[in-house]
Amino acid sequence: MSSNTAIVIGSTGLVGSHLVALLSDSSAFNKVVSITRRPVDYESSIVENHVIDFTRLSDYSALFAGDVFFSCLGTTAKQAGSLAAQRVVDFDFQLEAAKLAKQQGVVHYLLVSSSGANASSLSPYLKMKGELEQAVEVLNFDKTTIIQPSLLLGERPDARLAESLASRIMPSLCKLPGLTKFRPIYGADVAKKLIECVSTENTQRVLRLRLDQVFPVG
């Protein structure tokens, strides 16, 4: 696996930034392609940063040639300005990137989705996440891994008051029966699980992991 190339979108976010750091220290990869909307300086010599216009993804199709593709892109309706604008980032950009990765021969596609993702959900956010899961599944990568975390904890460049408050309350609340699936998880742990999913042998073409079932409530 030492000749593998990993591609990451969303690498400036909470999970993605931890993921790129782990990939840069991994002996399993000799090249990490970080595709971003703004420049990022990396200390590792194996990490390449390519700044692109995500509204013209097809112009950069060659960047999506590799072995493993990690899709960690995401925003909030508040940051994007509206639910419609959020969908452009969280659905349109991610699906188009997945299609390019498939066209370029990527074997293993890994998506950071959300606990509760369901295309039939009454929640616009969870409905969108469920629709994306369905859309990438039918692309028929050799392997598709979908990670479903709940609230993500960790230091963010953008302060989110609601998430900060929830991070103090949810760990205790989610010890109650029936609420464990909403247990918050550190972004660094999600990144570690993504790496583990690449290196672990698995015969399933599509694997969904709800992270409260992987990490015990503490």
Side-chain angles (χ1 to χ4, degrees):
M1 293 183 64
S2 60
S3 62
N4 276 359
T5 295
I7 306 153
V8 184
I9 61 170
S11 50
T12 59
L14 181 58
V15 174
S17 57
H18 284 292
L19 178 63
V20 172
L22 290 173
L23 289 170
S24 67
D25 288 334
S26 172
S27 60
F29 299 92
N30 71 344
K31 182 177 178 181
V32 179
V33 178
S34 170
I35 300 174
T36 61
R37 289 176 284 182
R38 64 175 187 269
V40 182
D41 290 327
Y42 295 105
E43 295 180 0
S44 173
S45 61
I46 73 166
V47 181
E48 297 179 0
N49 179 220
H50 295 271
V51 180
I52 71 167
D53 178 357
F54 273 74
T55 65
R56 298 168 47 222
L57 273 169
S58 60
D59 292 349
Y60 308 93
S61 59
L63 295 179
F64 292 85
D67 302 284
V68 181
F69 177 51
F70 297 93
S71 192
C72 308
L73 195 64
T75 187
T76 64
K78 182 178 179 180
Q79 286 177 311
S82 67
L83 280 171
Q86 181 187 21
R87 185 178 176 88
V88 170
V89 176
D90 278 28
F91 184 89
D92 296 344
F93 288 170
Q94 293 209 78
L95 181 55
E96 179 63 21
K99 289 178 178 178
L100 292 174
K102 174 65 177 179
Q103 293 168 6
Q104 293 295 325
V106 166
V107 173
H108 192 173
Y109 170 85
L110 298 98
L111 171 67
V112 178
S113 182
S114 174
S115 176
N118 187 327
S120 300
S121 176
L122 296 178
S123 161
Y125 177 77
L126 296 179
K127 178 179 174 66
M128 173 180 63
K129 290 297 186 181
E131 289 173 343
L132 179 61
E133 288 187 11
Q134 289 184 347
V136 297
E137 184 176 341
V138 299
L139 294 178
N140 290 318
F141 285 90
D142 288 1
K143 283 187 177 182
T144 298
T145 300
I146 297 172
I147 298 285
Q148 298 177 321
S150 184
L151 176 69
L152 293 171
L153 303 179
E155 293 296 325
R156 297 177 184 269
D158 55 315
R160 300 180 183 180
L161 178 59
E163 290 184 355
S164 177
L165 293 173
S167 69
R168 301 173 189 176
I169 299 170
M170 292 296 284
S172 296
L173 187 63
C174 289
K175 293 180 182 180
L176 298 174
L179 295 180
T180 57
K181 68 179 179 179
F182 301 111
R183 172 192 176 271
I185 184 171
Y186 283 97
D189 287 334
V190 178
K192 290 174 185 175
K193 191 62 186 178
L194 286 166
I195 297 286
E196 182 183 318
C197 287
V198 174
S199 59
T200 302
E201 290 295 329
N202 172 49
T203 58
Q204 293 177 257
R205 188 181 66 80
V206 178
L207 176 65
R208 279 182 174 81
L209 288 177
R210 213 180 73 194
L211 292 191
D212 65 280
Q213 298 171 334
V214 177
F215 296 97
V217 176

PDB file of all heavy atoms in Angstrom, residues 151-166:
ATOM      1  N   LEU A 151     -23.038  14.832  17.029  1.00  0.00           N
ATOM      2  CA  LEU A 151     -22.393  16.123  17.246  1.00  0.00           C
ATOM      3  C   LEU A 151     -20.879  15.957  17.325  1.00  0.00           C
ATOM      4  O   LEU A 151     -20.374  15.113  18.055  1.00  0.00           O
ATOM      5  CB  LEU A 151     -22.902  16.743  18.549  1.00  0.00           C
ATOM      6  CG  LEU A 151     -22.258  18.066  18.978  1.00  0.00           C
ATOM      7  CD1 LEU A 151     -22.663  19.181  18.028  1.00  0.00           C
ATOM      8  CD2 LEU A 151     -22.675  18.407  20.410  1.00  0.00           C
ATOM      9  N   LEU A 152     -20.152  16.778  16.572  1.00  0.00           N
ATOM     10  CA  LEU A 152     -18.697  16.697  16.548  1.00  0.00           C
ATOM     11  C   LEU A 152     -18.093  17.673  17.546  1.00  0.00           C
ATOM     12  O   LEU A 152     -18.453  18.853  17.579  1.00  0.00           O
ATOM     13  CB  LEU A 152     -18.173  17.007  15.137  1.00  0.00           C
ATOM     14  CG  LEU A 152     -18.528  15.976  14.063  1.00  0.00           C
ATOM     15  CD1 LEU A 152     -18.161  16.504  12.677  1.00  0.00           C
ATOM     16  CD2 LEU A 152     -17.802  14.665  14.333  1.00  0.00           C
ATOM     17  N   LEU A 153     -17.154  17.161  18.336  1.00  0.00           N
ATOM     18  CA  LEU A 153     -16.464  17.976  19.331  1.00  0.00           C
ATOM     19  C   LEU A 153     -15.040  18.262  18.876  1.00  0.00           C
ATOM     20  O   LEU A 153     -14.430  17.463  18.172  1.00  0.00           O
ATOM     21  CB  LEU A 153     -16.421  17.242  20.672  1.00  0.00           C
ATOM     22  CG  LEU A 153     -17.758  16.806  21.286  1.00  0.00           C
ATOM     23  CD1 LEU A 153     -17.503  16.066  22.591  1.00  0.00           C
ATOM     24  CD2 LEU A 153     -18.666  18.001  21.507  1.00  0.00           C
ATOM     25  N   GLY A 154     -14.514  19.388  19.327  1.00  0.00           N
ATOM     26  CA  GLY A 154     -13.135  19.730  19.007  1.00  0.00           C
ATOM     27  C   GLY A 154     -13.008  21.220  18.725  1.00  0.00           C
ATOM     28  O   GLY A 154     -13.995  21.934  18.570  1.00  0.00           O
ATOM     29  N   GLU A 155     -11.769  21.677  18.656  1.00  0.00           N
ATOM     30  CA  GLU A 155     -11.503  23.089  18.396  1.00  0.00           C
ATOM     31  C   GLU A 155     -11.787  23.408  16.938  1.00  0.00           C
ATOM     32  O   GLU A 155     -11.276  22.761  16.035  1.00  0.00           O
ATOM     33  CB  GLU A 155     -10.043  23.424  18.728  1.00  0.00           C
ATOM     34  CG  GLU A 155      -9.702  23.324  20.203  1.00  0.00           C
ATOM     35  CD  GLU A 155     -10.463  24.332  21.034  1.00  0.00           C
ATOM     36  OE1 GLU A 155     -10.698  25.460  20.543  1.00  0.00           O
ATOM     37  OE2 GLU A 155     -10.837  24.000  22.178  1.00  0.00           O
ATOM     38  N   ARG A 156     -12.618  24.417  16.717  1.00  0.00           N
ATOM     39  CA  ARG A 156     -12.946  24.855  15.366  1.00  0.00           C
ATOM     40  C   ARG A 156     -12.433  26.272  15.142  1.00  0.00           C
ATOM     41  O   ARG A 156     -12.415  27.086  16.078  1.00  0.00           O
ATOM     42  CB  ARG A 156     -14.461  24.859  15.136  1.00  0.00           C
ATOM     43  CG  ARG A 156     -15.148  23.500  15.240  1.00  0.00           C
ATOM     44  CD  ARG A 156     -16.640  23.677  15.069  1.00  0.00           C
ATOM     45  NE  ARG A 156     -17.392  22.452  15.241  1.00  0.00           N
ATOM     46  CZ  ARG A 156     -17.697  21.609  14.261  1.00  0.00           C
ATOM     47  NH1 ARG A 156     -17.267  21.867  13.030  1.00  0.00           N
ATOM     48  NH2 ARG A 156     -18.396  20.517  14.499  1.00  0.00           N
ATOM     49  N   PRO A 157     -12.053  26.590  13.892  1.00  0.00           N
ATOM     50  CA  PRO A 157     -11.647  27.969  13.615  1.00  0.00           C
ATOM     51  C   PRO A 157     -12.811  28.937  13.735  1.00  0.00           C
ATOM     52  O   PRO A 157     -12.642  30.117  13.987  1.00  0.00           O
ATOM     53  CB  PRO A 157     -11.138  27.897  12.165  1.00  0.00           C
ATOM     54  CG  PRO A 157     -11.790  26.677  11.583  1.00  0.00           C
ATOM     55  CD  PRO A 157     -11.921  25.721  12.729  1.00  0.00           C
ATOM     56  N   ASP A 158     -14.048  28.433  13.549  1.00  0.00           N
ATOM     57  CA  ASP A 158     -15.242  29.263  13.672  1.00  0.00           C
ATOM     58  C   ASP A 158     -16.022  28.826  14.913  1.00  0.00           C
ATOM     59  O   ASP A 158     -16.382  27.673  15.060  1.00  0.00           O
ATOM     60  CB  ASP A 158     -16.130  29.127  12.432  1.00  0.00           C
ATOM     61  CG  ASP A 158     -16.496  27.675  12.150  1.00  0.00           C
ATOM     62  OD1 ASP A 158     -15.598  26.820  12.213  1.00  0.00           O
ATOM     63  OD2 ASP A 158     -17.681  27.400  11.871  1.00  0.00           O
ATOM     64  N   ALA A 159     -16.252  29.739  15.817  1.00  0.00           N
ATOM     65  CA  ALA A 159     -16.956  29.409  17.052  1.00  0.00           C
ATOM     66  C   ALA A 159     -18.437  29.175  16.764  1.00  0.00           C
ATOM     67  O   ALA A 159     -19.074  29.958  16.061  1.00  0.00           O
ATOM     68  CB  ALA A 159     -16.794  30.549  18.056  1.00  0.00           C
ATOM     69  N   ARG A 160     -18.983  28.079  17.296  1.00  0.00           N
ATOM     70  CA  ARG A 160     -20.397  27.763  17.126  1.00  0.00           C
ATOM     71  C   ARG A 160     -21.012  27.642  18.512  1.00  0.00           C
ATOM     72  O   ARG A 160     -20.830  26.646  19.197  1.00  0.00           O
ATOM     73  CB  ARG A 160     -20.570  26.468  16.339  1.00  0.00           C
ATOM     74  CG  ARG A 160     -19.960  26.514  14.932  1.00  0.00           C
ATOM     75  CD  ARG A 160     -20.165  25.205  14.192  1.00  0.00           C
ATOM     76  NE  ARG A 160     -19.527  25.211  12.898  1.00  0.00           N
ATOM     77  CZ  ARG A 160     -19.560  24.178  12.039  1.00  0.00           C
ATOM     78  NH1 ARG A 160     -20.186  23.062  12.376  1.00  0.00           N
ATOM     79  NH2 ARG A 160     -18.966  24.261  10.878  1.00  0.00           N
ATOM     80  N   LEU A 161     -21.749  28.677  18.935  1.00  0.00           N
ATOM     81  CA  LEU A 161     -22.259  28.743  20.300  1.00  0.00           C
ATOM     82  C   LEU A 161     -23.167  27.565  20.621  1.00  0.00           C
ATOM     83  O   LEU A 161     -23.039  26.944  21.680  1.00  0.00           O
ATOM     84  CB  LEU A 161     -23.018  30.056  20.508  1.00  0.00           C
ATOM     85  CG  LEU A 161     -23.654  30.255  21.893  1.00  0.00           C
ATOM     86  CD1 LEU A 161     -22.587  30.201  22.971  1.00  0.00           C
ATOM     87  CD2 LEU A 161     -24.411  31.582  21.937  1.00  0.00           C
ATOM     88  N   ALA A 162     -24.090  27.233  19.723  1.00  0.00           N
ATOM     89  CA  ALA A 162     -25.032  26.150  19.991  1.00  0.00           C
ATOM     90  C   ALA A 162     -24.301  24.827  20.180  1.00  0.00           C
ATOM     91  O   ALA A 162     -24.622  24.040  21.084  1.00  0.00           O
ATOM     92  CB  ALA A 162     -26.034  26.035  18.844  1.00  0.00           C
ATOM     93  N   GLU A 163     -23.295  24.582  19.360  1.00  0.00           N
ATOM     94  CA  GLU A 163     -22.540  23.339  19.474  1.00  0.00           C
ATOM     95  C   GLU A 163     -21.694  23.332  20.738  1.00  0.00           C
ATOM     96  O   GLU A 163     -21.492  22.295  21.355  1.00  0.00           O
ATOM     97  CB  GLU A 163     -21.669  23.137  18.234  1.00  0.00           C
ATOM     98  CG  GLU A 163     -22.491  22.809  16.989  1.00  0.00           C
ATOM     99  CD  GLU A 163     -21.614  22.516  15.787  1.00  0.00           C
ATOM    100  OE1 GLU A 163     -20.381  22.660  15.900  1.00  0.00           O
ATOM    101  OE2 GLU A 163     -22.164  22.146  14.738  1.00  0.00           O
ATOM    102  N   SER A 164     -21.193  24.497  21.123  1.00  0.00           N
ATOM    103  CA  SER A 164     -20.406  24.587  22.348  1.00  0.00           C
ATOM    104  C   SER A 164     -21.262  24.242  23.564  1.00  0.00           C
ATOM    105  O   SER A 164     -20.828  23.495  24.449  1.00  0.00           O
ATOM    106  CB  SER A 164     -19.834  26.003  22.494  1.00  0.00           C
ATOM    107  OG  SER A 164     -19.130  26.131  23.706  1.00  0.00           O
ATOM    108  N   LEU A 165     -22.473  24.755  23.590  1.00  0.00           N
ATOM    109  CA  LEU A 165     -23.377  24.453  24.697  1.00  0.00           C
ATOM    110  C   LEU A 165     -23.785  22.988  24.688  1.00  0.00           C
ATOM    111  O   LEU A 165     -23.809  22.325  25.731  1.00  0.00           O
ATOM    112  CB  LEU A 165     -24.624  25.344  24.610  1.00  0.00           C
ATOM    113  CG  LEU A 165     -24.400  26.842  24.849  1.00  0.00           C
ATOM    114  CD1 LEU A 165     -25.676  27.618  24.570  1.00  0.00           C
ATOM    115  CD2 LEU A 165     -23.918  27.091  26.269  1.00  0.00           C
ATOM    116  N   ALA A 166     -24.072  22.476  23.498  1.00  0.00           N
ATOM    117  CA  ALA A 166     -24.495  21.080  23.383  1.00  0.00           C
ATOM    118  C   ALA A 166     -23.382  20.135  23.802  1.00  0.00           C
ATOM    119  O   ALA A 166     -23.629  19.075  24.388  1.00  0.00           O
ATOM    120  CB  ALA A 166     -24.925  20.785  21.948  1.00  0.00           C
TER     121      ALA A 166
END
